Amino acid sequence: MRPKPLHGLRVLDLTRLLPGPLATQHLADYGAEVIKIEDTGAGDYARTMGAMNGATSYFYQVVNRGKKSLRLDLKNEAGRALFLRLVASADVVVEGFRPGVMDKLGLGYTTLAEAKPAIVYCSISGYGQTGPYAQRAGHDINYLGYSGVLDQIGVAGGPPAIPNLQIGDLLGGSLSALLGLLVAVIDAKATGRGRHVDVAMTDAALAHAIFPLVEVLAHGGVRPRGEDLLTGGVPCYGVYETADGRHMAVGALEEKFWLLVCDTLGRPDLKAAHLATGADGTQARNELAAIFRGRAQAEWVAIFDAVDCCVTPVLRLEESLANPHLAARGMVVEVAGVRQFAPPVRLSEFEPGPATAAPEAGGNSDEILAGLGLDAAQIARLRADAVI
């Protein structure tokens, strides 16, 4: 049995809320040892955000599984000394504070790199470590606003729509952080020298706005919201309401799929409107809308499940969790009685899990510090002095 792919990688996770914790949970899922380091006060605010499941929130529980927890006061000299001892045994440090906070604590990249040249130090922030906005506060909605992404989300004639998938936080703060730090880890293993990985969530959202960029390059500006190829501007790619107030997603971009859609609907006269825009496109979309309103979603699913033409239901998440394909892929797992998402990337000769539940605050302090060589009396003194 091969060890997990990230076995032996030790990660010190100073992040809170969503972007950083989800990134480090992915690392834990693939075998890294992730030590979640929280202050001795409030710690990770996610613990008490939203619906609670016992002592902690569901939110906290589904983005922190498989980790260990140490509560450590980094404003205390003894706490900083312990952190530096941990760095000596670590490969990666991930932090999500505003630029400069770790430097003020005396634990910035330069300091840690002097102590351990191979350390990979990943900083996740809204606007990056440099630039005029570096010190500004922000959330996902702000990063999407600055990157031009929010402007493109929504229907024609309507205002920008706020997605319930945090594109900046997750594409930027989680996945881009994983990309950057793993690139740096590979480099550090080869050269013995780590890097400071500067992840800006606004940068990541901007760097993936491919279709709006194409419009700017070709025409000097984006199309109005809801009028681009992939935002509802053509009949073959859009969302259509059904008789029961549900929706079907039509993604028949390729002509062969569109022709099948038209034949399945018994409307060969619509074939010429495949990529129609303007008045012709509007008329064809209205025709399709009227057709889809004629049957309930379940009826359309029964019809199109038998036709390979990219027409599928728009499911609610509770339905997705029970979807037979996603179930067959093992995408829903249960950890300590809580249903959550499995690791999304499959690897040969690797089975994820079993994962441990998200840790209690400081639940692994004694174990972690004993691993540094501290005895029970030393750990007790640290606790008495509120260092841990």
Side-chain angles (χ1 to χ4, degrees), residues 157-365:
I162 306 172
N164 200 18
L165 187 153
Q166 290 69 41
I167 299 171
D169 285 350
L170 300 174
L171 173 66
S174 297
L175 297 186
S176 293
L178 286 173
L179 169 64
L181 72 85
L182 289 174
V183 166
V185 165
I186 292 171
D187 182 40
K189 296 294 185 186
T191 66
R193 295 182 60 192
R195 294 180 186 270
H196 188 186
V197 180
D198 176 5
V199 178
M201 290 179 267
T202 303
D203 292 356
L206 174 70
H208 290 84
I210 303 302
F211 273 76
L213 174 62
V214 169
E215 285 297 314
V216 171
L217 295 176
H219 305 294
V222 295
R223 292 177 186 267
R225 183 168 42 259
E227 295 183 18
D228 204 348
L229 176 67
L230 300 183
T231 62
V234 293
C236 70
Y237 200 91
V239 175
Y240 294 93
E241 186 178 11
T242 59
D244 53 349
R246 302 298 301 275
H247 295 86
M248 296 295 287
V250 177
L253 280 174
E254 294 86 346
E255 186 179 38
K256 63 180 181 180
F257 293 142
W258 175 247
L259 298 181
L260 279 172
V261 170
C262 295
D263 287 338
T264 303
L265 296 176
R267 292 295 302 271
D269 57 304
L270 292 176
K271 290 181 178 180
H274 177 211
L275 296 174
T277 57
D280 290 342
T282 299
Q283 181 177 344
R285 289 197 302 276
N286 290 339
E287 293 275 353
L288 278 178
I291 294 168
F292 277 105
R293 281 195 296 266
R295 296 177 187 261
Q297 185 191 64
E299 296 177 84
W300 287 121
V301 170
I303 291 169
F304 280 102
D305 267 358
V307 185
D308 187 23
C309 63
C310 307
V311 178
T312 55
V314 176
L315 299 181
R316 300 186 180 108
L317 183 62
E318 60 268 27
E319 296 169 326
S320 300
L321 295 177
N323 178 265
H325 174 76
L326 295 173
R329 294 283 294 170
M331 275 308 303
V332 181
V333 295
E334 190 170 296
V335 178
V338 177
R339 282 189 303 168
Q340 47 196 276
F341 303 129
V345 178
R346 295 289 180 268
L347 300 174
S348 63
E349 299 181 64
F350 168 72
E351 286 296 329
T356 57
E360 296 180 8
N364 305 96
S365 297

